[in-house]
């Protein structure tokens, strides 16, 4: 049965390969063969007759302008949009349509994404898995759909609907400016609240003593929730005193590998004085968090424009000149 979705400018529908082959091949030839240099033998791999095909047509001209295909196993591929029709939101509409097609069959969507467009698929709810590999001599990574389930905490049931989960994320009030606490329990709570409310580009300078609190499962849940809530947020962490033998850091490192455009991780160089506390900054807020034995001291203060510029300059200097990407943090190379 043919299914379709009509938007203001495009009609997206399922089509039959035998009927729509000329339009599908034309789009894929222009995008993959001519633009990216994929050979015709690799592009037309003989599997199209067994796939469900998706075609987007511009309503005003009836021109076929984008396509994709879905295998019997739920793998989405050959996603292509003609150059004049990019940056119009069509790619997202096409992928949303494909994802719903797979989900309607009680399957889990997945795809092999070119590494250059991983951020695009992350926003749509796809998460990286596995190592980088070559397909048609182009670097790819496997990505699985399931953002809402991936971001659920261990305390939530898998049957919970995304809408109720989203409501649960919004139950806490935003963190107050110029707030200070002096117990470990309240300091950790303030760290969680600060992370949950971060928007945009965020930097964390992390002391060795703070790593157990950052790598704790509960904090990782908060970090994932923040990314889920704010699609434009990017976290940059510089770790001081990283010890590769510490197993507690492995879940954090794995998360950064799965969300490479959202979490950026570096180590402080040995020639720089180690951080004595955790400091984080975004927008006009700055968090300072330090622990000693079972005691904690944390504060959030609102920064003036001048203060923020000074703090940001210092953090940028450390990130660019005194931090490096440890081999443990990297995605495995080809």
């Amino acid at each position: 049965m043919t299914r379709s979705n009509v938007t203001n400018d495009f009609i997206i529908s399922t089509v039959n390969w035998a009927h729509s082959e000329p339009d599908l091949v034309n789009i894929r030839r222009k995008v993959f063969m001519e633009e990216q240099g994929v050979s015709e033998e690799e592009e037309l791999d003989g599997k199209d007759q067994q796939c469900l095909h998706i075609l987007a047509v511009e309503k005003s001209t009836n021109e076929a302008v984008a396509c994709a295909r879905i295998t019997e196993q739920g793998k989405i591929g050959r996603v292509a949009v003609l150059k004049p029709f990019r940056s119009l939101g069509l790619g997202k509409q096409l992928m949303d349509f494909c994802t719903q097609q797979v989900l309607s069959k009680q399957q889990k969507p997945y795809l092999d994404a070119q590494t250059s467009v991983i951020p695009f698929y992350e926003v749509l709810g796809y998460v990286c898995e596995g190592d980088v590999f070559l397909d048609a001599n182009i670097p790819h990574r496997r990505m699985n759909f399931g953002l809402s389930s991936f971001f659920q905490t261990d305390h939530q049931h898998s049957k919970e609907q995304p809408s109720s989960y989203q409501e649960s994320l919004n139950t806490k009030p935003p963190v107050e400016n110029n707030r200070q606490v002096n117990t470990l329990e309240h300091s950790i709570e303030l760290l969680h609240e600060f992370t949950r409310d971060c928007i945009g580009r965020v930097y964390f300078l992390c002391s060795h003593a703070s790593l157990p609190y950052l790598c704790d499962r509960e904090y990782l849940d908060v970090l994932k929730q923040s990314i889920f809530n704010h699609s434009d947020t990017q976290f940059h962490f510089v770790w001081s005193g990283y010890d590769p033998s510490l197993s507690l850091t492995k879940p954090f490192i794995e998360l950064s590998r799965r969300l490479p455009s959202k979490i950026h991780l570096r180590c402080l160089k040995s020639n720089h004085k180690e951080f004595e506390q955790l400091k984080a900054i975004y927008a006009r807020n700055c968090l300072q968090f330090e622990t000693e034995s079972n005691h904690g001291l944390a504060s959030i203060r609102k920064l003036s424009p001048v203060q923020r510029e000074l703090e940001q300059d210092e953090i940028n200097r450390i990130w660019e000149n005194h931090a490096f990407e440890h081999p443990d943090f990297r995605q495995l190379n080809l």
Side-chain angles (χ1 to χ4, degrees):
M1 181 179 66
T2 299
R3 298 182 180 181
S4 64
N5 179 40
V6 181
T7 66
N8 290 335
D9 302 306
F10 306 99
I11 300 174
I12 302 174
S13 59
T14 58
V15 295
N16 181 276
W17 173 256
H19 179 267
S20 300
E21 178 180 355
D23 286 332
L24 296 167
V25 171
N26 177 60
I27 296 170
R28 286 161 54 176
R29 182 180 300 279
K30 290 180 179 178
V31 173
F32 297 120
M33 299 185 218
E34 297 177 9
E35 290 185 32
Q36 300 183 6
V38 177
S39 69
E40 182 170 343
E41 182 181 4
E42 289 176 305
E43 177 56 36
L44 304 178
D45 56 4
K47 301 177 182 179
D48 285 304
Q49 291 185 351
Q50 288 77 47
C51 294
L52 174 68
H53 292 269
I54 315 299
L55 189 65
V57 175
E58 187 184 28
K59 289 200 307 187
S60 62
T61 64
N62 204 36
E63 177 185 0
V65 297
C67 68
R69 78 178 187 186
I70 304 172
T71 69
E72 294 177 346
Q73 294 74 37
K75 180 180 180 181
I76 301 171
R78 302 301 197 268
V79 180
V81 179
L82 294 180
K83 188 178 291 187
F85 300 92
R86 296 171 194 168
S87 301
L88 301 176
L90 177 57
K92 180 182 183 303
Q93 295 172 27
L94 182 67
M95 276 301 303
D96 286 343
F97 186 88
C98 291
T99 300
Q100 290 303 318
Q101 290 295 307
V102 180
L103 293 175
S104 68
K105 298 180 180 179
Q106 306 301 311
Q107 294 176 310
K108 185 170 183 178
Y110 69 101
L111 52 88
D112 292 334
Q114 295 183 16
T115 55
S116 60
V117 293
I118 282 176
F120 167 74
Y121 290 110
E122 284 182 330
V123 171
L124 299 177
Y126 287 80
V127 180
C128 290
E129 181 177 282
D131 306 327
V132 178
F133 63 93
L134 285 178
D135 184 6
N137 208 33
I138 300 173
H140 285 70
R141 280 190 80 181
R142 173 63 53 87
M143 301 190 77
N144 294 318
F145 181 75
L147 189 63
S148 58
S149 61
F150 173 69
F151 283 108
Q152 285 182 351
T153 68
D154 291 342
H155 307 295
Q156 292 173 300
H157 300 293
S158 60
K159 293 181 180 180
E160 189 173 12
Q161 297 298 318
S163 58
S164 60
Y165 175 64
Q166 183 66 39
E167 291 171 3
S168 72
L169 300 180
N170 297 326
T171 56
K172 296 182 179 180
V175 66
E176 299 175 2
N177 293 320
N178 303 320
R179 179 180 170 190
Q180 182 170 328
V181 295
N182 55 15
T183 67
L184 182 59
E185 180 182 0
H186 290 152
S187 295
I188 294 173
E189 181 180 324
L190 198 62
L191 170 64
H192 289 188
E193 291 180 359
F194 179 88
T195 302
R196 175 175 53 83
D197 294 328
C198 285
I199 298 174
R201 190 179 292 264
V202 192
Y203 286 91
F204 282 76
L205 304 181
C206 311
S207 65
H208 180 73
S210 69
L211 292 186
Y213 306 101
L214 293 172
C215 298
D216 178 74
R217 183 177 296 276
E218 186 175 353
Y219 179 77
L220 293 181
D221 287 339
V222 172
L223 183 60
K224 290 182 283 189
Q225 288 176 358
S226 181
I227 294 172
F228 180 77
N229 277 345
H230 310 295
S231 61
D232 294 334
T233 297
Q234 293 185 11
F235 289 91
H236 297 70
F237 291 86
V238 179
W239 283 0
S240 175
Y242 168 66
D243 182 354
S245 66
L246 285 178
S247 60
L248 68 88
T249 60
K250 290 181 180 178
F252 194 110
I253 295 172
E254 176 60 24
L255 181 62
S256 71
R257 287 176 172 174
R258 295 184 70 181
L259 296 171
S261 71
K262 302 296 183 183
I263 302 175
H264 307 270
L265 188 56
R266 290 187 179 183
C267 268
L268 188 67
K269 292 181 179 179
S270 58
N271 61 358
H272 192 281
K273 182 181 178 181
E274 291 195 0
F275 305 135
E276 296 180 355
Q277 60 183 5
L278 180 150
K279 178 183 285 187
I281 182 173
Y282 84 95
R284 293 185 178 180
N285 284 346
C286 178
L287 168 75
Q288 288 183 286
F289 172 88
E290 56 184 316
T291 61
E292 182 178 350
S293 184
N294 291 324
H295 302 285
L297 178 65
S299 64
I300 288 180
R301 55 192 173 93
K302 186 172 183 178
L303 302 176
S304 69
V306 174
Q307 290 173 324
R308 185 188 186 284
E309 185 173 350
L310 291 173
E311 294 277 8
Q312 191 66 63
D313 286 347
E314 173 65 11
I315 288 179
N316 287 342
R317 184 182 65 81
I318 293 173
W319 180 265
E320 296 296 337
N321 302 322
H322 299 286
F324 69 101
E325 186 182 29
H326 193 280
D328 287 356
F329 302 164
R330 297 172 187 161
Q331 301 172 27
L332 295 181
N333 295 324
L334 299 173

